[in-house]
Amino acid sequence: MAEQNCLVTNDWICGEYLRSRSQELIDATLQHVGITVASVAIGVAVALPLALLARRFRFLAGPILGVTTVLYSVPSLAMFSLLLPFFGLSVSLVVTGLVLYSLTVLVRNILAGLQAVPEEARDAAKGMGYGPLRLLWEVELPLALPALLAGVRITTVSTVALTTVGAIVDYGGLGTLILDGLDTTFKAQVLTASVLCVLLAVTADLLLLGLQRLLTPWTRAHRTRTSRASRKAAVTKVAEPA
Amino acid sequence: MNAITGAWEWLTTGANWEGEKGVWHRLAEHLYFSGVCLAVACAIALPLALYLGHMGKGGALAVNISNVGRAVPTLALLILLTLTPLGEHGDAPTLIALVLFAVPPLLTNAYLGMREVDRAVVEAARGMGMSGGQLFARVELPLAYPLIMTGIRSAGVQVVATATLAAMAGEGGLGRIITAGFNLQNTPQVVAGAVLVALLALLVEGVLVVAGRLFDPMRR
């Protein structure tokens, strides 16, 4: 039984591991996806009002962007540990930390998207009798959507990677398997979980790209000012928290 | 909030700063790892990025490396390296992982900095008879400087953060105070370690910002 042996000889690639521990892998992946989705969703829900505030009140823009940028440079292990007294060893600790990280990119991108909405489009909508809320919902947000989704893509990919650090409090999804694999020097488990983690990030990115194409068909016809702004916003921050 | 007052007590206890596992020793390890790796990463990435940027080649490479880097979990790579034969050489996995994670921001920012130099300015410099080398040293490099520094700053913060994670893979550095705290279920120590790490990261960011301003060739 060659497959049986790979568990005994502790090979990096092991079919028997996949077969015998598939439930464990599925559970960890589901936890990973759950943490990522919750963090990005809450991140968007928090970042949108912050971006709107920063746009509406100029004097708030500096502090909001400053604080979210400072949060970005706090190492993830420290971030999760600092939240420990408030949340204890819980999944909300991991999600809160990840939300705080997501804000930097999301707020910047949403703000850039909103600021790139052409003044003529805004004026035309106002001329047609749109109130501020309807203007935001039907004109500004759709036009800022490419920048917003570009931010969501960056955030999602780095959140998938960062979730692994949640292993320190046992809520790291695949990261928990990776860390356990280190303790038991179980090579197949570490490699499988790492590869799944990268696959998860790539899949999420492709799905979001598809969603972006679906939601913003007009950006494919010609490059708009919005998409240029979003590219710029995406480019200025290329490093990740670790 | 016992953990917070406890953390303060931990930090103000002199014994926690002394010895092999003390703050000073861990801080020295942390700075040693980070400094060496940032220097090595700069030595690898900057010449390459500046050359590619000057020649206008390899843009896809420079940008894609940073996108790929984003998808690879730092912790996973650290642990994978620790389990390879490299793991028997003590610090090697940490040092390699730190260099690998510092390269993408350096490469991408330096390349983009070179490419975003106004083409009209480059043409004008050529028109004035500047050679490739002169163009590089007197026009492109000074104009690309702000983005190059952004890259170094990102890489520096990245390296300090990754050096913290090295503790989870069993290596030294300030992160060890946090992981040791978790193992002992000593929340005050965890929080104290986290405060130290966060302060160090912010300090490094601040120092690099100031250094960037001081050495700016366009400074008035």
Side-chain angles (χ1 to χ4, degrees):
Chain A
M1 287 269 287
E3 290 96 336
Q4 196 64 51
N5 278 341
C6 69
L7 280 177
V8 178
T9 55
N10 199 10
D11 290 337
W12 284 103
I13 298 168
C14 182
E16 185 58 26
Y17 168 70
L18 284 180
R19 220 160 308 142
S20 58
R21 305 281 194 92
S22 62
Q23 194 53 46
E24 207 177 274
L25 282 167
I26 291 169
D27 290 345
T29 309
L30 286 179
Q31 190 187 57
H32 210 112
V33 172
I35 290 173
T36 306
V37 170
S39 308
V40 176
I42 297 174
V44 172
V46 176
L48 191 59
L50 284 179
L52 288 173
L53 275 177
R55 185 182 62 146
R56 179 74 185 76
F57 304 102
R58 279 269 158 86
F59 66 95
L60 283 178
I64 288 177
L65 291 177
V67 168
T68 54
T69 307
V70 163
L71 287 175
Y72 212 68
S73 51
V74 176
S76 53
L77 187 57
M79 180 77 95
F80 291 143
S81 308
L82 282 175
L83 296 169
L84 188 62
F86 305 98
F87 296 93
L89 298 174
S90 68
V91 73
S92 32
L93 180 152
V94 179
V95 171
T96 309
L98 293 173
V99 166
L100 290 177
Y101 280 126
S102 73
L103 293 180
T104 314
V105 174
L106 288 175
V107 171
R108 263 172 211 282
N109 271 35
I110 298 173
L111 192 60
L114 287 173
Q115 282 170 344
V117 172
E119 202 51 48
E120 307 91 81
R122 220 173 266 141
D123 285 342
K126 279 184 203 156
M128 286 167 72
Y130 278 43
L133 260 186
R134 200 165 161 223
L135 175 70
L136 178 70
W137 188 246
E138 291 182 19
V139 178
E140 292 178 312
L141 277 183
L143 284 176
L145 205 56
L148 187 150
L149 287 173
V152 170
R153 280 178 62 197
I154 297 175
T155 304
T156 307
V157 172
S158 51
T159 302
V160 170
L162 271 177
T163 300
T164 53
V165 182
I168 191 80
V169 294
D170 273 342
Y171 292 95
L174 292 162
T176 313
L177 292 186
I178 296 174
L179 197 61
D180 288 348
L182 174 74
D183 291 339
T184 51
T185 58
F186 191 173
K187 291 177 181 173
Q189 179 164 318
V190 173
L191 185 65
T192 311
S194 305
V195 169
L196 277 177
C197 207
V198 173
L199 285 181
L200 208 59
V202 173
T203 312
D205 197 41
L206 289 178
L207 284 177
L208 285 169
L209 181 66
L211 181 74
Q212 186 177 346
R213 294 254 164 118
L214 212 66
L215 288 179
T216 59
W218 64 90
T219 52
R220 264 171 298 160
H222 55 93
R223 292 274 173 204
T224 60
R225 282 166 58 189
T226 322
S227 70
R228 209 157 70 217
S230 76
R231 274 210 308 282
K232 191 141 198 168
V235 152
T236 46
K237 262 289 176 187
V238 289
E240 292 308 299
Chain B
M1 291 293 95
N2 290 333
I4 290 167
T5 49
W8 178 248
E9 254 167 55
W10 193 94
L11 284 173
T12 47
T13 304
N16 291 328
W17 291 70
E18 309 296 331
E20 265 291 275
K21 293 181 177 173
V23 174
W24 291 123
H25 182 74
R26 293 299 184 204
L27 181 67
E29 281 177 335
H30 207 107
L31 291 177
Y32 161 74
F33 285 153
S34 313
V36 168
C37 291
L38 186 61
V40 171
C42 282
I44 296 172
L46 289 183
L48 181 66
L50 294 178
Y51 175 75
L52 289 176
H54 178 67
M55 303 305 283
K57 285 181 198 151
L61 174 87
V63 175
N64 283 329
I65 281 188
S66 88
N67 287 336
V68 171
R70 190 173 286 138
V72 178
T74 323
L75 181 67
L77 188 69
L78 257 170
I79 290 180
L80 276 173
L81 285 173
T82 309
L83 287 181
T84 62
L86 281 172
E88 289 151 24
H89 300 283
D91 299 341
T94 313
L95 296 175
I96 293 172
L98 293 183
V99 170
L100 284 179
F101 278 99
V103 164
L106 289 169
L107 203 60
T108 311
N109 278 298
Y111 178 83
L112 288 175
M114 293 294 281
R115 292 316 295 162
E116 282 182 7
V117 172
D118 194 340
R119 287 298 104 190
V121 176
V122 173
E123 291 308 313
R126 277 197 200 285
M128 285 165 66
M130 280 195 185
S131 68
Q134 286 173 324
L135 176 70
F136 172 77
R138 295 205 210 149
V139 179
E140 289 177 323
L141 203 55
L143 288 174
Y145 178 85
L147 261 183
I148 298 175
M149 278 316 291
T150 305
I152 296 180
R153 193 155 46 91
S154 307
V157 173
Q158 177 86 4
V159 162
V160 169
T162 314
T164 311
L165 279 185
M168 287 176 84
E171 301 301 331
L174 281 179
R176 275 303 265 238
I177 297 173
I178 299 177
T179 51
F182 269 108
N183 289 337
L184 300 168
Q185 300 193 322
N186 180 351
T187 306
Q189 181 178 337
V190 170
V191 176
V195 169
L196 289 171
V197 169
L199 285 179
L200 180 69
L202 297 178
L203 188 71
V204 166
E205 167 117 38
V207 166
L208 288 174
V209 168
V210 172
R213 296 237 171 98
L214 280 181
F215 296 115
D216 191 341
M218 315 274 263
R219 191 162 66 111
R220 268 157 228 157

